[in-house]
Amino acid sequence: MPIIDELVNFLISEGAYGAKLSGAGLGGSVIALVRDETTAKEILSKVLSRGLAPRGWVVSIDRGVMVHG
């Protein structure tokens, strides 16, 4: 998928640590890892303004399960 390759290359060139296609069966998604939320929002804005993707989300990882003892 040339547009997916273009998107992945663009994300990396804009500062993503890495990016990859996930679940290509019905179109798939591209997941990118970036330094922080501000960087993610800036890169996503560029992606959308260039028409490289129809939409995108910025998500973060929470602290996960904690054991209190």
Side-chain angles (χ1 to χ4, degrees):
M1 301 179 120
I3 189 71
I4 297 294
D5 293 333
E6 182 180 350
L7 175 55
V8 168
N9 290 334
F10 179 78
L11 290 165
I12 293 171
S13 75
E14 288 295 319
Y17 294 134
K20 71 173 291 258
L21 174 64
S22 178
L26 295 172
S29 297
V30 172
I31 299 169
L33 300 176
V34 298
R35 177 184 28 188
D36 54 40
E37 186 175 348
T38 301
T39 303
K41 288 179 178 178
E42 290 171 356
I43 293 173
L44 178 57
S45 178
K46 291 177 183 179
V47 165
L48 297 175
S49 70
R50 286 171 172 74
L52 294 173
R55 61 190 162 278
W57 298 269
V58 173
V59 297
S60 61
I61 300 171
D62 67 15
R63 294 177 24 174
V65 176
M66 297 179 59
V67 177
H68 298 278

